[in-house]
Amino acid sequence: MMSEIDTDSMVSFLHRDDVEKRVSKMIQEGKTRFALDFSEIYDHDPDVATTLITNHKDLGWVRDCLVDALVRVRCPEESLERWKAVLCNLPHTTHLRKLDTHHIGHLTQVSGIVVSTSDVQPFLLQARFICIVCDREHLIPQREEKLKWPGKCDCDGRKFTLNEEKSDWVNSQVIQLQELPEELPPGQIPRQLTVRLLDDLVDTVRAGDRSLIVGIVRLRPPRRSGRLYDYIMEAEHIQTMEAQDVEVTEEDLKKILELGARDDLEELLIDSLAPTIYGHREIKRSILYLLIGGVSLDEVDVKIRGNIHVLLCGDPGTAKSQMLTVTSRVSTRGLLTAGKTSTNAGLTATVQKDTSGRFVLEAGAMVLADKGVLLIDEIDKMTNEDREAIHFPMEGGTVPVAKGGIVATLNARTSILAAANPKYGRYNPYSTVAENINLPVTILSRFDLIWILKDTPNVTEDGILARHILNIHQKNGLGVRPPVPQPLLKKYLAYASKIQPKLTREAVTHLENFFVEMRAVVAEGAAVPISARNLESGIRLSQARARIHLRDEVTLEDATQAVALMHMSLSQVGIDATTGQFDVDMILTGKPKSLNDKLNALLQIVRAKSREEAIPEEDVVSFTLAQGWGRSETIKLLGVLMKDGVLYSPRPGVYKAVQPIQ
Ligand SMILES: [Zn+2]
């Protein structure tokens, strides 16, 4: 029981000037939920503070003290009843994984990421029932999950109707809170908790928010008969948390600056990124740049992303998946997922009806990894919905949602490191990236860097690789010590990514030249002009490199290295296998320019010769033989045109062109 002294103590606490100031501000903002900071009360009176947590059900007397303070600031009397005193900033946060039956009925503080939010529905606080026999009213406060009916009327009647108009309702919303990705034990399915928000807490959080919630843990009875209950938290107070930054002490800073001054810095960091994976230095360099990122520009008229996206495509058995796993360990906010996710929300977001029929907005992996790194394995297996929706967040950093009455914009400022398998098992060097990977060109072109990992036999390389693998096994993986220990590497990356480097004149000129050169290569008869996207990639990568070297300006060397990396990546995916020329068409249209030229020439021949009658295959071959094409090549190209739907075969062995509509 509370003693008089405690109340006095509370009154004197609420007498402080800043409390009155806060109350005045809250009245102006139309808010009525007065949050009492536990640590502040504890400083004022430890006994009162601890009693408040255990006696949370009886915060009524605190409310009385509060009303006293309200009267002093001349709060309108009629609104006094709506005021509620709640506690926040409790000393202990319960991990969602540790929530159990001991918490039932107790005031508990939990943290997590909001994965879904429902639409807003009315919630019954106090029901007014009318006896259908004698019209007598029965007021029943609703405390439990199930609607509580009156027992028996004074007239012995047992049938009632609910007077909706005269009952007390409040806005309500249900959210799902999930364990923070970085707190999730490896390989575990994240735990979730249903949280109900009432009144002025409704619509204060959105999917993807990291929240610290104080509330009372209750039970939700089973939908059908049974004894298995669900936990539900009734929220009292919600606080949105910024992502936890890596703490950098003065001692750390000394080590960071020392490391940053070394000539071999970049190579050291690359060696430390994934010491158990042999080779692939350029891929590791790209990942290093991805982890740091470029400078994002977020102004009203210009929005340029700083996030760097990297795609690894390659044969099974190559190091793609390991690259993803090691990167998830190094990044402070890394979320590992698969293209075909286990949740309905997939990679972006979804709106659907839950079991109780209300619309629920569920955040996908890109939203949950906001301001972090999303590692997508087998991105080629993503759903059709994601295929259509992923372009926007990759470029704009948000997921717009407008479905089932829910309109929202969720943040997804996420860097993507994705892995994809070749469509036909092995990477075919004679066809294009777009043909090799089951991803549309529009998504491919949003990756700043694409790398192909081929499992080609090479005697010398294989010998080194075998020794490397054996070495790891002999030493149980412990022998491969990274030159920069992982905790320091994380701190280094966190520190470096805060730098805002400015482009120097020389760097700009170099990047511009690269852009102009690329445009010139593509300009020759290309159907699709090259966009400014490649220039932006160049800027991002050079900014990332400047950050790695702890510089606040992007030098010519940064730009040169960034362009070199892009050239290397483009030559892996954009090289025209038939002419050996650099061909950006391949990424943009999915076909090398020389192939496009040949297909076009062949189509013109068939079109000209098949106006009246279908042209026999032998005739086409003799026409192309005259131009120096081989027979099998012609037949293969005819197949491509058939597949593309510009030719058809009215009967075997003859072709006709689909005539353009006049
Ligand atoms: Zn009655």
Side-chain angles (χ1 to χ4, degrees):
M1 287 311 293
M2 302 306 301
S3 65
E4 274 306 307
I5 302 150
D6 292 327
T7 314
D8 288 346
S9 177
M10 209 59 223
V11 168
S12 77
F13 176 76
L14 289 168
H15 248 290
R16 302 181 324 174
D17 285 349
D18 58 329
V19 171
E20 293 188 8
K21 255 183 229 151
R22 259 179 68 194
V23 168
S24 308
K25 192 162 172 265
M26 285 177 68
I27 293 170
Q28 279 170 7
E29 290 169 353
K31 287 184 183 153
T32 53
R33 198 175 289 264
F34 188 86
L36 296 157
D37 191 313
F38 176 87
S39 59
E40 279 179 28
I41 305 174
Y42 193 88
D43 287 345
H44 174 77
D45 189 333
D47 290 341
V48 170
T50 28
T51 324
L52 280 180
I53 290 191
T54 43
N55 269 19
H56 66 90
K57 281 177 194 154
D58 201 22
L59 275 178
W61 63 272
V62 182
R63 206 194 74 89
D64 292 343
C65 304
L66 183 67
V67 166
D68 188 49
L70 287 167
V71 172
R72 286 201 307 278
V73 296
R74 301 203 180 86
C75 170
E77 205 167 311
E78 66 274 10
S79 69
L80 286 181
E81 214 169 281
R82 281 188 61 213
W83 282 76
K84 189 169 163 59
V86 293
L87 278 177
C88 71
N89 208 1
L90 303 192
H92 177 71
T93 303
T94 303
H95 203 283
L96 287 187
R97 205 160 273 275
K98 298 274 160 63
L99 199 74
D100 63 19
T101 48
H102 297 99
H103 294 96
I104 298 168
H106 289 288
L107 195 68
T108 311
Q109 179 169 278
V110 291
S111 67
I113 188 163
V114 178
V115 287
S116 75
T117 56
S118 75
D119 55 3
V120 181
Q121 289 184 312
F123 184 77
L124 191 54
L125 279 187
Q126 180 162 259
R128 194 175 290 262
F129 292 101
I130 315 288
C131 168
I132 59 165
V133 183
C134 70
D135 265 356
R136 193 168 284 144
E137 287 189 349
H138 298 261
L139 272 179
I140 311 282
Q142 301 292 325
R143 298 257 179 270
E144 309 301 322
E145 278 297 310
K146 263 188 179 158
L147 181 65
K148 199 175 160 200
W149 290 79
K152 195 170 76 170
C153 185
D154 296 346
C155 72
D156 276 352
R158 285 175 186 274
K159 283 198 172 155
F160 306 90
T161 54
L162 176 68
N163 185 335
E164 291 169 0
E165 237 170 85
K166 288 190 169 167
S167 294
D168 287 344
W169 301 88
V170 68
N171 273 345
S172 122
Q173 186 178 33
V174 172
I175 63 169
Q176 288 292 332
L177 196 69
Q178 184 175 295
E179 277 178 282
L180 293 171
E182 60 267 28
E183 286 177 2
L184 184 67
Q188 297 274 342
I189 295 168
R191 285 279 169 83
Q192 290 198 353
L193 175 67
T194 307
V195 182
R196 180 168 22 238
L197 318 183
L198 295 178
D199 203 12
D200 58 347
L201 286 182
V202 165
D203 274 339
T204 54
V205 286
R206 56 178 174 169
D209 278 356
R210 290 155 172 262
S211 304
L212 188 66
I213 303 183
V214 177
I216 296 158
V217 178
R218 296 195 188 284
L219 289 174
R220 186 150 60 165
R223 205 158 288 281
R224 292 195 192 90
S225 60
R227 286 185 288 167
L228 283 173
Y229 283 63
D230 275 329
Y231 290 112
I232 182 165
M233 174 176 268
E234 204 146 279
E236 296 258 288
H237 185 264
I238 300 182
Q239 197 178 335
T240 308
M241 303 186 291
E242 272 302 309
Q244 285 287 315
D245 262 337
V246 179
E247 204 192 333
V248 177
T249 62
E250 258 179 53
E251 200 181 316
D252 295 331
L253 187 60
K254 223 181 105 200
K255 283 187 196 157
I256 288 169
L257 296 178
E258 236 167 62
L259 189 61
R262 286 182 63 150
D263 288 338
D264 57 351
L265 162 77
E266 208 170 320
E267 305 311 309
L268 269 183
L269 295 179
I270 289 171
D271 285 336
S272 312
L273 208 58
T276 50
I277 301 173
Y278 171 74
H280 301 302
R281 293 196 77 77
E282 298 324 312
I283 295 178
K284 291 179 186 172
R285 194 184 306 276
S286 318
I287 293 174
L288 184 64
Y289 289 7
L290 176 147
L291 286 168
I292 292 267
V295 180
S296 47
L297 196 65
D298 193 359
E299 275 161 29
V300 188
D301 45 348
V302 216
K303 225 174 200 168
I304 296 177
R305 68 170 154 106
N307 299 98
I308 293 168
H309 305 311
V310 177
L311 176 66
L312 311 177
C313 170
D315 295 339
T318 48
K320 290 175 303 180
S321 302
Q322 287 111 288
M323 285 281 187
L324 263 53
T325 317
V326 293
T327 310
S328 77
R329 285 191 204 129
V330 177
S331 64
T332 8
R333 291 182 68 185
L335 183 64
L336 199 58
T337 184
K340 194 173 185 164
T341 57
S342 50
T343 69
N344 293 318
L347 299 172
T348 51
T350 187
V351 173
Q352 54 183 20
K353 279 192 173 175
D354 71 0
T355 43
S356 57
R358 73 178 120 206
F359 279 107
V360 173
L361 166 59
E362 205 180 317
M366 272 197 83
V367 177
L368 301 184
D370 178 38
K371 285 185 171 174
V373 180
L374 183 64
L375 307 123
I376 312 173
D377 204 1
E378 301 194 324
I379 189 174
D380 46 309
K381 302 233 168 33
M382 70 178 153
T383 64
N384 288 336
E385 287 81 11
D386 280 337
R387 251 166 223 273
E388 281 164 26
I390 202 169
H391 303 87
F392 197 80
M394 277 185 88
E395 205 58 52
T398 56
V399 177
V401 182
K403 207 175 152 193
I406 292 182
V407 179
T409 304
L410 307 176
N411 281 329
R413 295 153 292 184
T414 315
S415 307
I416 294 180
L417 175 63
N421 288 323
K423 219 189 301 184
Y424 304 109
R426 287 261 153 166
Y427 196 86
N428 175 4
Y430 304 111
S431 63
T432 67
V433 189
E435 280 166 0
N436 266 295
I437 316 169
N438 188 20
L439 281 180
V441 172
T442 44
I443 293 179
L444 287 177
S445 66
R446 275 172 173 80
F447 283 96
D448 297 271
L449 297 164
I450 302 176
W451 299 103
I452 314 293
L453 292 90
K454 281 179 221 147
D455 191 11
T456 40
N458 178 322
V459 182
T460 352
E461 282 277 297
D462 283 355
I464 302 170
L465 179 61
R467 268 197 300 282
H468 185 77
I469 291 172
L470 285 171
N471 201 20
I472 294 170
H473 280 276
Q474 266 173 355
K475 294 176 179 170
N476 262 339
L478 297 168
V480 213
R481 272 262 178 80
V484 181
Q486 208 177 70
L488 180 61
L489 180 64
K490 276 188 169 188
K491 285 175 187 198
Y492 192 93
L493 296 176
Y495 178 81
S497 58
K498 292 230 162 51
I499 302 167
Q500 304 286 316
K502 298 222 160 37
L503 287 160
T504 59
R505 192 59 245 161
E506 302 81 54
V508 170
T509 313
H510 189 80
L511 290 167
E512 268 171 8
N513 288 344
F514 165 69
F515 182 54
V516 170
E517 180 195 321
M518 292 251 297
R519 276 183 89 102
V521 173
V522 180
E524 286 174 49
V528 189
I530 182 163
S531 68
R533 209 166 272 148
N534 302 70
L535 178 62
E536 285 174 15
S537 286
I539 296 173
R540 276 192 281 278
L541 293 166
S542 5
Q543 286 167 335
R545 190 176 184 274
R547 281 176 163 176
I548 287 166
H549 291 268
L550 308 180
R551 271 189 262 102
D552 53 12
E553 57 178 32
V554 180
T555 61
L556 175 62
E557 208 206 328
D558 294 328
T560 313
Q561 291 300 324
V563 166
L565 198 60
M566 286 179 76
H567 256 292
M568 221 179 288
S569 161
L570 282 168
S571 69
Q572 278 205 355
V573 297
I575 198 92
D576 181 335
T578 21
T579 66
Q581 269 177 0
F582 188 59
D583 191 349
V584 189
D585 259 17
M586 199 120 116
I587 310 163
L588 296 171
T589 66
K591 286 194 187 96
K593 191 168 161 296
S594 61
L595 177 59
N596 275 335
D597 288 350
K598 278 193 172 171
L599 287 170
N600 199 28
L602 186 61
L603 176 63
Q604 296 315 322
I605 292 171
V606 178
R607 184 168 287 163
K609 305 289 174 191
S610 69
R611 268 183 219 287
E612 309 288 318
E613 288 285 305
I615 181 170
E617 191 170 274
E618 282 312 308
D619 290 5
V620 183
V621 171
S622 56
F623 272 114
T624 51
L625 273 174
Q627 296 194 21
W629 300 10
R631 182 196 173 81
S632 61
E633 188 183 11
T634 302
I635 289 170
K636 201 179 132 198
L637 293 177
L638 280 169
V640 175
L641 291 175
M642 291 267 286
K643 209 179 95 197
D644 287 351
V646 289
L647 286 192
Y648 65 100
S649 183
R651 54 184 192 279
V654 298
Y655 298 95
K656 217 166 159 31
V658 176
Q659 294 297 328
I661 299 162
Q662 298 295 326

